[in-house]
Amino acid sequence: MADETDRQVENIDESRLEVGRPKKRAAGVPAVRHSLQMSVQQMGVKRTALTLLKVNQTDGFDCPGCAWPEHDQRHTAEFCENGAKAVAEEATRRRVTPEFFAEHSLQDLREWDDFALGQQGRLTHPMLLEAGDTHYRPVTWERAFDVVAEELAALDTPDAATFYTSGRTSNEAAFLYQLFVRGFGTNNLPDCSNMCHESSGSALGDTIGIGKGSVSLEDVEQADVIVIAGQNPGTNHPRMLTSLEKAKAAGATIVAVNPLREAGLLNFANPQKARGVVGRGTDLADEFLQVRLGGDQALFQALAAILVEIDTASPGAALDHEFIAAHTDGLDDFLAGLATLDWATVHEATGLAEADIRRVAGILAGSRRTVICWAMGLTQHPHAVATLRDAVNLLLLQGNIGRPGAGVCPVRGHSNVQGDRTMGIWEKMPEEFLDAIDDEFGFRSPREHGLDTVDSIRAMRRGDVRVFMGLGGNFVRATPDSAATEEALASLDLTVQVSTKLNRSHVVTGRRALILPTLGRTEVDEQATGPQRVSVEDSMSAVHASVGSLEPASPHLRSEVAIIAGIAERVLAGRTDAPRVDWSALRGDYRRIRESIARVVPGFEDVERRLDRPGGFVLPHPPRDERRFETSTGRAHFTRNEVTYPVVPPGRLLLQTLRSHDQFNTTIYGRDDRYRGITGGRRVVFVHADDLAAQGLVDGDHVDLVSEFADGVERRAERFRAVAYDTPRGCAAAYYPETNVLVPLDAVAKDSNTPASKSVVIRLEPVT
Ligand SMILES: Nc1nc2c(c(=O)[nH]1)N[C@H]1C(S)=C(S)[C@@H](COP(=O)(O)OP(=O)(O)OC[C@H]3O[C@@H](n4cnc5c(=O)[nH]c(N)nc54)[C@H](O)[C@@H]3O)O[C@H]1N2
Ligand SMILES: Nc1nc2c(c(=O)[nH]1)N[C@H]1C(S)=C(S)[C@@H](COP(=O)(O)OP(=O)(O)OC[C@H]3O[C@@H](n4cnc5c(=O)[nH]c(N)nc54)[C@H](O)[C@@H]3O)O[C@H]1N2
Ligand SMILES: [Mo]
């Protein structure tokens, strides 16, 4: 463990780190300038112009930046700084060739940080690391598929392999992948969603009967009140700011709930509008509740309690009794729970004043259309599922589900993470889905639930999993407990990464390792029947087509679909119990894959024709469409959840691990975090000035972050610059993935098993 942190410190040059004042406005002209600078660095001028004009256009490719939806009618490319950066990273002209791997040993590359690895560019050739070798060597695709088949055949059971997916994978590739994996005989299909919105899926599935958000873009723009909790849209969903601007123009009130006063929640200067360029932009949050980390559940309960109080004094003033009577159950039990809530607890959990909470409750009481949006600030806590169930309770009280301008809005991360789930990427897909693939492909898929992300790592540590395959993503770096996880991966027989770009998961490997380089969605995907399109689903269940237009980064790349089909053909050859699939026909014509999807997945009927429409089509969502709740009782459930919040021992802080403005998850675009005033470095920890003072520290001091957990293991991330920052007392923040080393594998959310990466108890140890 000491090794891991020592190495990071040695190799990261933080000598140019500067700390300035945090910004109070997002986007504007600086955003355009920064994204163009980065794009031109990666792509050159001409490619930048050609590529950025195709983002999110009806005849273009889906932006790989995030899952926020687009309007059906797109006029010109909507400018988005971080979308542009995500595109530039993929469309870069830099290349990682066999010569690169001949020059650099694995040992050598392990010393590089994430930024250096990612900046090398696109992978060009399939590469194999043979057991005992020091370097990767080029390999033919056929040989690569044989290696996978050999290692899978050597396993005692199919459950000794685990097959990860990251959320950029297209619907077509995801559908084929889960079919291959289930055909092979396991449900071990962990995905990035396990670390992301699993808590949302769990809470929503339990209460309203479907694990997806219930609003459309129009709903957000028509809402009376929009609550944005645990989300930093200015950095992570910049196009959401345009929707918020529209909502404000239509009279919406925005309530932000966040321990940090994020620039993108305060004001938006829309670079597409004159006012955004020369004026003062649009103020966004009308109310800012600067909540303590993990205090949201207590806040939601307090707000609900006040709504009930208002309604008791004046029946009908706050609650939607008709909706409650017609569509819900469990109200009495929920109210009985609320009755036990006391203000001392609420204050301790949230750090907020009662008057502020009452004022926001008053705003909610006066709203007929409320949307609650959230992201990782709510999902990555031990009590995340309970928190989100209480968010649902709050909405149900006022009938805010299945009404225009109202609903639940979990804002997804990866651009197709929601679609991957719809396609069956889940370790515990429901029986109806498994029956449907069995019927379609004439086989019997396994029924026993598989391993999710955290359980896959645990199984590797026990020796029960011997082979890892990743369809995209950067498993070693995205997962918690870096030191333990790296050790787990290193103990495997084979690690396979299907990737566009070099990352740490290529250099922390099993005994044998494969890098299978793939097309990105900006690129033309030419197959036997001609160029192919793929489909993706956004955060609001809209499915649309994505067509690449750039020449592939290398002639040796294969599409994700072609790679999966190639592996499946080899692995399943000769097995009589395998699904009946003509893999090469599917690879040659993705319409054939969609024909099967249409028969298996409800809502995909007539998919080909409906993909031709600008904006595509929207999948059914019973609560949104007809206030139908597919729960055990046919009603939406109020739930009673005991108030939980993090309790931090004296002298310790609660750390959240979050994203800077210049990164996409484990891909680091640059070393700045403009909105938070940071330039030239990433090893910073944001702490309240009084908390620093209480420990005899001041802004600018250097500290080790030491995490303390029930298992008694001390996890350490070395040498961070302390930054005095506007955050509630007792709360700290630092960037992921550098701080993943601090997140214990066993610190997970109840019911969703999501790593609690916004809830890490740490102490600061001064260093000189
Ligand atoms: N440019 C860019 N875009 C991205 C990504 C990226 O890395 N870069 N990642 C994509 C992915 S996969 C995802 S999941 C999303 C992530 O999008 P976000 O969830 O916005 O990402 P984080 O940086 O984790 O930010 C968490 C926010 O929640 C707040 N927060 C933390 N803890 C709490 C809490 O206890 N309560 C409340 N109320 N707030 C809290 C933090 O202060 C911060 O503002 O973005 C997607 N889009
Ligand atoms: N401490 C901490 N940990 C976290 C989080 C946190 O907030 N704090 N957030 C969690 C969240 S929300 C998520 S979603 C995960 C992210 O986990 P992942 O999805 O596993 O990680 P990424 O960094 O998004 O993956 C980047 C890699 O994907 C590959 N890639 C990019 N595009 C494509 C493509 O089109 N096809 C293929 N095959 N490969 C591609 C590239 O090789 C790139 O290096 O991290 C989680 N980990
Ligand atoms: Mo995510």
Side-chain angles (χ1 to χ4, degrees):
M1 199 181 316
D3 273 343
E4 136 107 350
T5 44
D6 286 343
R7 187 196 53 243
Q8 287 178 4
V9 174
E10 278 166 27
N11 291 297
I12 296 184
D13 176 12
E14 298 272 304
S15 61
R16 279 176 302 170
L17 172 65
E18 278 178 40
V19 177
R21 286 159 70 93
K23 303 277 181 294
K24 297 198 164 92
R25 173 185 302 184
V29 176
V32 180
R33 193 173 59 233
H34 281 272
S35 66
L36 285 179
Q37 267 167 8
M38 273 194 200
S39 301
V40 171
Q41 270 170 21
Q42 298 280 350
M43 301 191 277
V45 175
K46 190 165 159 220
R47 200 170 164 88
T48 296
L50 284 175
T51 314
L52 294 186
L53 286 174
K54 286 283 186 188
V55 189
N56 282 343
Q57 294 302 291
T58 41
D59 63 341
F61 59 88
D62 181 61
C63 180
C66 73
W68 188 257
E70 272 294 330
H71 275 281
D72 290 357
Q73 305 304 330
R74 300 149 205 215
H75 303 294
T76 50
E78 181 179 354
F79 172 78
C80 167
E81 176 187 359
N82 280 350
K85 289 189 219 159
V87 170
E89 281 286 318
E90 180 177 305
T92 179
R93 289 196 300 204
R94 301 178 188 166
R95 297 290 178 267
V96 178
T97 60
E99 292 71 45
F100 172 91
F101 287 107
E103 197 176 320
H104 302 285
S105 72
L106 218 58
Q107 193 55 42
D108 176 10
L109 292 173
R110 277 191 208 118
E111 307 288 316
W112 295 24
D113 68 57
D114 301 300
F115 182 52
L117 290 170
Q119 288 301 309
Q120 303 312 307
R122 290 287 299 277
L123 297 156
T124 61
H125 286 69
M127 304 295 300
L128 170 65
L129 178 81
E130 262 303 352
D133 272 3
T134 53
H135 292 67
Y136 273 103
R137 289 179 232 211
V139 64
T140 63
W141 281 102
E142 302 318 302
R143 176 70 193 128
F145 296 157
D146 283 342
V147 169
V148 179
E150 275 164 27
E151 294 291 343
L152 290 180
L155 298 175
D156 296 337
T157 150
D159 291 328
T162 195
F163 299 87
Y164 177 71
T165 310
S166 169
R168 274 196 196 172
T169 294
S170 67
N171 286 340
E172 289 73 6
F175 186 76
L176 225 53
Y177 189 54
Q178 64 81 31
L179 178 62
F180 155 61
V181 171
R182 296 195 162 103
F184 172 64
T186 181
N187 278 313
N188 290 346
L189 283 159
D191 69 349
C192 66
S193 202
N194 297 144
M195 298 178 270
C196 188
H197 269 292
E198 196 69 59
S199 305
S200 311
S202 175
L204 295 175
D206 288 354
T207 54
I208 64 166
I210 175 168
K212 298 182 180 183
S214 74
V215 299
S216 67
L217 217 44
E218 288 69 28
D219 290 325
V220 172
E221 291 168 7
Q222 290 166 17
D224 292 337
V225 174
I226 303 170
V227 178
I228 306 170
Q231 197 203 337
N232 179 22
T235 286
N236 298 312
H237 304 92
R239 285 179 300 109
M240 180 175 173
L241 301 190
T242 309
S243 302
L244 296 178
E245 187 186 38
K246 284 190 190 157
K248 286 288 288 203
T253 301
I254 295 180
V255 178
V257 185
N258 201 305
L260 305 179
R261 299 182 67 82
E262 308 281 25
L265 295 169
L266 302 177
N267 182 283
F268 173 45
N270 187 341
Q272 246 110 244
K273 289 190 180 166
R275 189 165 39 124
V277 177
V278 293
R280 59 176 309 279
T282 304
D283 285 333
L284 295 177
D286 299 275
E287 290 287 343
F288 206 110
L289 295 179
Q290 200 168 6
V291 71
R292 300 179 67 172
L293 286 170
D296 305 84
Q297 191 202 358
L299 173 66
F300 291 144
Q301 287 206 6
L303 291 169
I306 301 167
L307 290 183
V308 172
E309 195 182 291
I310 293 172
D311 200 82
T312 308
S314 168
L319 307 195
D320 183 341
H321 295 281
E322 228 171 275
F323 173 83
I324 293 172
H327 297 293
T328 70
D329 57 21
L331 178 70
D332 291 345
D333 197 29
F334 169 60
L335 293 182
L338 280 192
T340 67
L341 188 71
D342 66 273
W343 277 100
T345 305
V346 173
H347 181 68
E348 190 180 313
T350 63
L352 300 170
E354 182 175 340
D356 293 335
I357 299 179
R358 286 197 175 274
R359 199 173 55 250
V360 169
I363 293 170
L364 291 179
S367 164
R368 284 293 156 268
R369 292 173 297 194
T370 298
V371 173
I372 302 184
C373 304
W374 71 86
M376 297 306 99
L378 298 198
T379 64
Q380 298 177 334
H381 285 284
H383 59 305
V385 177
T387 300
L388 293 168
R389 285 163 161 239
D390 273 320
V392 171
N393 286 331
L394 190 58
L395 290 170
L396 290 179
L397 280 179
Q398 297 192 284
N400 276 318
I401 294 199
R403 169 195 285 165
V408 280
C409 183
V411 183
R412 305 273 161 181
H414 269 298
S415 49
N416 196 41
V417 63
Q418 187 160 318
D420 292 344
R421 269 293 158 91
T422 308
M423 292 299 118
I425 303 292
W426 197 19
E427 69 282 357
K428 43 184 184 199
M429 273 314 269
E431 195 68 23
E432 308 87 78
F433 179 92
L434 300 176
D435 287 343
I437 56 167
D438 292 359
D439 285 351
E440 174 69 13
F441 299 104
F443 80 121
R444 171 84 184 159
S445 54
R447 290 307 194 267
E448 198 185 323
H449 287 176
L451 300 169
D452 65 7
T453 294
V454 164
D455 285 339
S456 288
I457 300 168
R458 289 177 175 147
M460 290 174 200
R461 283 161 62 88
R462 289 194 306 269
D464 293 344
V465 159
R466 309 293 318 152
V467 172
F468 171 91
M469 175 168 169
L471 185 59
N474 183 1
F475 189 84
V476 198
R477 229 24 204 150
T479 49
D481 229 341
S482 311
T485 299
E486 292 200 356
E487 207 178 285
L489 264 291
S491 73
L492 302 185
D493 294 328
L494 174 70
T495 48
V496 183
Q497 309 287 347
V498 180
S499 315
T500 52
K501 305 214 33 191
L502 189 64
N503 66 44
R504 191 158 174 84
S505 297
H506 303 117
V507 299
V508 177
T509 69
R511 188 174 51 84
R512 300 169 96 186
L514 281 165
I515 298 176
L516 305 180
T518 191
L519 294 173
R521 59 169 69 147
T522 52
E523 293 162 321
V524 177
D525 182 354
E526 184 79 33
Q527 301 296 339
T529 59
Q532 306 293 316
R533 63 176 174 180
V534 293
S535 62
V536 292
E537 175 184 343
D538 66 30
S539 200
M540 296 178 182
S541 307
V543 179
H544 58 93
S546 176
V547 186
S549 51
L550 295 178
E551 192 184 325
S554 142
H556 307 285
L557 302 186
R558 293 208 179 164
S559 72
E560 290 182 338
V561 165
I563 295 169
I564 296 157
I567 291 176
E569 225 162 21
R570 206 62 54 94
V571 171
L572 302 179
R575 272 185 45 178
T576 51
D577 58 348
R580 285 200 293 275
V581 181
D582 182 345
W583 297 98
S584 70
L586 297 186
R587 168 175 58 213
D589 185 354
Y590 297 180
R591 283 174 302 189
R592 305 263 311 252
I593 307 175
R594 285 189 289 271
E595 281 166 18
S596 284
I597 293 174
R599 284 188 290 265
V600 167
V601 184
F604 275 82
E605 304 77 21
D606 199 15
V607 49
E608 214 58 50
R609 193 180 55 77
R610 291 197 292 158
L611 276 184
D612 289 337
R613 286 190 206 155
F617 59 95
V618 179
L619 292 175
H621 189 289
R624 179 198 64 205
D625 301 337
E626 44 186 324
R627 286 195 158 172
R628 195 158 54 75
F629 298 94
E630 294 178 344
T631 61
S632 52
T633 58
R635 287 163 172 267
H637 298 317
F638 279 100
T639 52
R640 177 174 179 169
N641 311 291
E642 199 188 329
V643 186
T644 312
Y645 58 97
V647 179
V648 181
R652 305 296 185 262
L653 299 170
L654 196 66
L655 175 79
Q656 62 155 321
T657 61
L658 81 181
R659 293 154 175 79
S660 84
H661 192 61
D662 275 0
Q663 72 181 85
F664 190 93
N665 299 337
T666 68
T667 302
I668 311 301
Y669 302 143
R671 298 201 195 281
D672 300 345
D673 191 6
R674 195 168 77 244
Y675 296 153
R676 299 196 186 103
I678 305 298
T679 46
R682 292 179 48 88
R683 293 184 88 83
V684 290
V685 58
F686 301 99
V687 184
H688 194 288
D690 294 347
D691 282 323
L692 289 178
Q695 307 202 18
L697 296 165
V698 293
D699 179 277
D701 283 351
H702 282 85
V703 291
D704 284 355
L705 313 183
V706 186
S707 111
E708 299 180 350
F709 187 64
D711 61 5
V713 177
E714 278 202 349
R715 296 166 173 86
R716 183 179 294 263
E718 289 182 350
R719 212 173 164 78
F720 281 62
R721 183 201 187 280
V723 176
Y725 204 80
D726 183 4
T727 179
R729 287 293 306 268
C731 300
Y735 304 129
Y736 127 84
E738 288 83 347
T739 47
N740 262 348
V741 68
L742 301 173
V743 184
L745 190 62
D746 288 334
V748 290
K750 190 168 174 289
D751 297 330
S752 66
N753 218 25
T754 295
S757 36
K758 299 282 191 277
S759 228
V760 188
V761 176
I762 58 161
R763 64 169 193 269
L764 306 179
E765 276 187 10
V767 290
T768 44

